[in-house]
Structure formats: structure tokens, C-alpha cells
Amino acid sequence: MKKEFAVIGLGRFGGSICRALVEQGMEVLAIDNDEDRVNEFAMIASHAVVGDTTDETVLKSLGIRNFDHVIVAIGDNIQASILTTLMLKELGVNKITVKAQNDYHEKVLRKIGADHVVHPERDMGRRIAHNIVSNNVLDYLELSDEHSIVEIVASKKMDGSTLIDLDIRAKYGINIVAIKRGQDIMVSPQANESIREGDILIVIGADQDINRFEKKIVE
């Protein structure tokens, strides 16, 4: 089943996360109190609504507690960010990621129960979107608009298979450039190297090919 996300705040940061999630085929509810921004995302997100998320009745009417993950990307209004996060927590939202303005803001967000706190000046919207969609992805580095290097945790499904068995380059057009196993790292692993569950595969390729591979390896 597709995961369902809600993105609150459609500024530069929230907008980039919203677009990246949609690109990865996720269901996304886009929310902002600015009608022009909401109109901009009406054709991008699955649903886009104008709403004040500091109002509990608004959040309840949107069925916000049913979403798998809510991203609070409210701009400069720290109070609105904190109030929204607090209400999401009280309504029982499963996972909450919040954009912090500064270290003090982060401290407050963590105290009230935010699961992840991110700083836009330190994190890219696309990178965060990639990480929150797939539990198997540990890290993500954009090489260009269409190519990335990704660290992926080998699933149980891959346990015991060799690189020849998996035939990843032919099937997906991507390359495993290294395998991390505990403290060891194998650069340019041999084709007969067996993969173990929990190995960290360092993969390079086009984003759409990496996404196809991730979907196949997740159990």
C-alpha cells in the first residue's frame, strides 16, 4: 500500500518535500494558510487545502491522525510550528517530522514529541523526502537532478544472493559500488560476493532506477 503523507507549510522547503514525495508516487495532502500557495500545489499533490493547522478542529476535519507521516514545514512562525506539532502529537499522529528555525526551536520540538527535527539550511528537501519514504534507505546524495548515490540496507529477501544472482546492473541499470558489513567496506565487490541481510549497499544510478530497485527489495 502507498504511504500517505501530509505536508503542512508550502514554502520553499515544504514545497520541495511535497514535490519529491509526489515524484516517488506517494499520496500527499498539501496544507497551507496561504490560498495562492495551495492553488500552486493543487495540480501537484493528491489533495491541497487551505487551513490553519493551529486550529484543532481543522486538523480533525482533515483526518490528520490517519496519515502515516506528517511533515511540519511552517515558515518563520515558530509559535504556529510548535502549536501544530503539539496538536498532531495529541491527536495521535504516528510519525512527525518538523522543520526547525534554530537550536532552541529544535529543543522545544523534541520535548513535545517530534520524531524528527530538520534544519533546512543543513538538509535538502529531496534528501529528507527520500529517507522518510523508504525504511531501507540510510543516506542519499544527489549527484545531479536525476542521478544519486544511495545507501540501502540489504533486506531478508536478498540474504545469500550473489551479485551475479541479483543481476542488478542488467535489471535496473544501477551499480553497487561498495558493500559495508560491520566495520568492513568492500569497494568494487566481486560478482560472486554474497550479500547478507543487514549489509549496507552503496548504489549509484538514475533516481528512477534506484526507486525501482528499492521497491523490489522491500519485503
Side-chain angles (χ1 to χ4, degrees), residues 127-147:
R127 179 176 184 160
I128 294 158
H130 208 92
N131 286 346
I132 61 185
V133 164
S134 175
N135 296 330
N136 289 64
V137 174
L138 293 184
D139 205 358
Y140 175 80
L141 176 66
E142 282 184 325
L143 299 176
S144 70
D145 285 345
E146 294 176 357
H147 291 80

Side-chain angles (χ1 to χ4, degrees), residues 85-205:
T85 305
L86 193 58
M87 276 188 281
L88 292 172
K89 198 72 189 168
E90 286 179 350
L91 289 170
V93 172
N94 189 38
K95 197 176 279 188
I96 305 165
T97 293
V98 192
K99 164 188 164 182
Q101 298 295 329
N102 51 49
D103 291 341
Y104 172 73
H105 187 197
E106 176 176 359
K107 199 176 285 187
V108 175
L109 291 169
R110 292 198 182 279
K111 279 198 184 301
I112 61 176
D115 298 290
H116 302 285
V117 179
V118 294
H119 293 259
E121 67 276 12
R122 298 208 296 251
D123 303 304
M124 297 176 296
R126 287 181 65 88
R127 179 176 184 160
I128 294 158
H130 208 92
N131 286 346
I132 61 185
V133 164
S134 175
N135 296 330
N136 289 64
V137 174
L138 293 184
D139 205 358
Y140 175 80
L141 176 66
E142 282 184 325
L143 299 176
S144 70
D145 285 345
E146 294 176 357
H147 291 80
S148 305
I149 296 176
V150 180
E151 289 186 352
I152 298 175
V153 182
S155 64
K156 193 173 185 179
K157 194 185 283 188
M158 301 173 79
D159 191 42
S161 299
T162 65
L163 295 179
I164 293 173
D165 296 333
L166 294 169
D167 203 13
I168 288 166
R169 185 187 290 182
K171 285 181 181 171
Y172 303 99
I174 61 177
N175 288 293
I176 294 178
V177 294
I179 299 173
K180 282 199 260 185
R181 183 175 295 152
Q183 299 301 310
D184 299 324
I185 182 159
M186 289 170 270
V187 178
S188 300
Q190 298 293 313
N192 60 357
E193 182 64 49
S194 287
I195 291 172
R196 300 179 196 165
E197 182 183 359
D199 281 354
I200 296 167
L201 312 177
I202 299 170
V203 175
I204 188 167

